[in-house]
Amino acid sequence: MAAATILSCRYLLICSATLALLLLRLCSGLSLDTVREFLTREEDTVVFGLIERAKYPRNTPAYDPAGYLAGGGHGHDASFAEMFVRESEAVQAKAGRYQSLQEIPFFPFRVPFTLAPPYNFTTELYSAAALVNVNDAIWSMYFNELLPLLAKNGDDGNYAATVSSDLVCLQALSRRINYGRYVAEVKFIGDQQNYTTLIRNKDTDALMKLLTSEAQEDVVKRRVQKKAMVFGQNVTLDGPVETGNSNSSQTSFKVDPSLVYKLYDKWVIPLTKQVEVEYLLHRLD
């Protein structure tokens, strides 16, 4: 009898917690439409960030730890770019940037206080899964694979401006990709029975298949490519200069539209889905 009572109490607690979480979703306005709207707006930020970075050459010394040490790096085994990101995040953390779960630093640290006015951010994410992120993969992808394709060879010495634009790109990509946690939460709430079964079975392949919409992904990739074409034109008083189509050479645009398509096709969308799966695997913890 006692065991049955305990089970009943646990069931009521779980139901109450689920109901409270669902009510919170309704109050915060988190839905598939709001999630897609956020991701669509983030496309603009990503494209503009790439355009800004593309105006600087590679500036290789900014990414060489040995070069930074030779320039007086005070023994830090890190490049100038890494130290710039670390120090920038430290300042932004004190200003309250990472109070919102939408923002995840690349170098986590504890900040005892914030200078920002207090704000009660909503907690739409399930707490046991909220810390899932792929920032390490984003960091590696950006510097090792994307940047060599984005920036032309050369060195103009503008290292501070260059790595500052890197930081903007990194933060935009991190925010966009790790927002997959919110996507996963909305999808879980919308189809709780199917997701629960797959999560309990740890069936990652089936989870990936269930959350994938190839048609929607194709729309996203073609849309960001078009945004790169539109945003990347040289505008005059007589209107945009003729730039041809998406197959034009990179010199026709401020950033190659086909590269933006590739970014989403090869990295952004797959990493976002990786975040979604990892979040879902912890959704019943």
Side-chain angles (χ1 to χ4, degrees), residues 217-233:
E217 291 175 9
D218 183 63
V219 168
V220 171
K221 289 182 285 188
R222 289 189 291 109
R223 185 172 61 221
V224 294
Q225 183 179 33
K226 187 171 183 178
K227 286 183 177 182
M229 293 175 64
V230 174
F231 300 161
Q233 297 182 65

Side-chain angles (χ1 to χ4, degrees), residues 110-182:
R110 293 185 179 274
V111 178
F113 64 91
T114 175
L115 304 175
Y119 184 81
N120 184 26
F121 286 96
T122 56
T123 54
E124 299 101 336
L125 299 177
Y126 188 68
S127 58
L131 296 181
V132 166
N133 75 83
V134 291
N135 269 1
D136 288 345
I138 295 171
W139 181 276
S140 177
M141 174 274 292
Y142 179 80
F143 287 110
N144 297 325
E145 300 184 76
L146 178 61
L147 196 55
L149 301 175
L150 178 64
K152 297 178 181 178
N153 290 327
D155 185 353
D156 65 1
N158 289 311
Y159 304 135
T162 298
V163 298
S164 178
S165 62
D166 286 326
L167 176 60
V168 171
C169 289
L170 285 167
Q171 290 177 330
L173 289 168
S174 173
R175 190 167 50 248
R176 163 59 177 84
I177 292 170
N178 289 314
Y179 199 78
R181 296 168 297 157
Y182 293 84

